[in-house]
Amino acid sequence: MYKLFNDRNNNLCSIIRSSDSASIPLNSDNTDYAKFKIDLANGAELSDANNTVMTANQISAFIATLP
């Protein structure tokens, strides 16, 4: 499971991996970020910054916005 993390201006700034609380930067050169996108495509659970679990449709729309 992953959780989106926003900065104090409510802008997405990183992803938190629940299994180890690692902070994953939004950087396409980062291997954890690449794995995050693969995991989402394979059905991993994602919650928004308010801890609301996103639906499959919401995750698909989110993936489309990622670099």
Side-chain angles (χ1 to χ4, degrees), residues 19-35:
S19 62
D20 60 0
S21 299
S23 178
I24 302 170
L26 302 172
N27 181 332
S28 58
D29 293 331
N30 183 287
T31 56
D32 287 327
Y33 180 69
K35 182 164 180 0

Side-chain angles (χ1 to χ4, degrees), residues 2-58:
Y2 296 93
K3 180 179 189 253
L4 302 179
F5 184 78
N6 292 347
D7 63 17
R8 63 180 167 195
N9 295 318
N10 208 32
N11 298 311
L12 178 63
C13 63
S14 67
I15 297 115
I16 305 298
R17 184 175 49 221
S18 300
S19 62
D20 60 0
S21 299
S23 178
I24 302 170
L26 302 172
N27 181 332
S28 58
D29 293 331
N30 183 287
T31 56
D32 287 327
Y33 180 69
K35 182 164 180 0
F36 160 73
K37 293 195 305 185
I38 291 168
D39 287 349
L40 287 185
N42 289 324
E45 192 171 282
L46 177 65
S47 63
D48 64 18
N50 296 318
N51 289 321
T52 302
V53 176
M54 298 170 74
T55 67
N57 288 339
Q58 289 171 321

